[in-house]
Amino acid sequence: MPDILDRLQPLFRDVLDNPSLTVTRASSGLNVPGWDSLAHITLVAETEREFGIRFALGELETLKNVGDMVDLIERKISA
């Protein structure tokens, strides 16, 4: 089973319309071109669908980068 970051890669590529994009745990809206607020909302929705989870607004507010998102997803799917 691919790890969480590997499963997020195609979501980011599709949403940000960049087939060669590779996100890392340090990636964020500050260093990934095209990651604006609309893309962020779409990424959240697609991530929820991919993993069958729901994020609370308070959880999303604490995320600083993809690594934080990966850790949160891991906690949610392990619960």
Side-chain angles (χ1 to χ4, degrees):
M1 178 177 172
D3 75 14
I4 293 170
L5 186 56
D6 288 340
R7 288 176 66 185
L8 288 173
Q9 297 290 351
L11 299 179
F12 276 81
R13 289 177 184 140
D14 288 346
V15 170
L16 299 175
D17 195 27
N18 182 346
S20 63
L21 176 67
T22 300
V23 292
T24 67
R25 290 184 58 88
S27 297
S28 73
L30 298 175
N31 57 25
V32 176
W35 188 345
D36 58 17
S37 58
L38 180 58
H40 187 79
I41 292 168
T42 306
L43 285 167
V44 167
E46 290 299 313
T47 301
E48 288 178 332
R49 183 190 53 75
E50 171 68 19
F51 291 94
I53 57 176
R54 300 288 293 177
F55 295 116
L57 181 57
E59 293 172 327
L60 294 173
E61 291 173 344
T62 65
L63 302 179
K64 303 290 186 247
N65 54 38
V66 172
D68 288 349
M69 178 179 270
V70 168
D71 293 343
L72 178 58
I73 293 167
E74 186 172 347
R75 287 194 303 274
K76 287 187 162 289
I77 60 177
S78 298

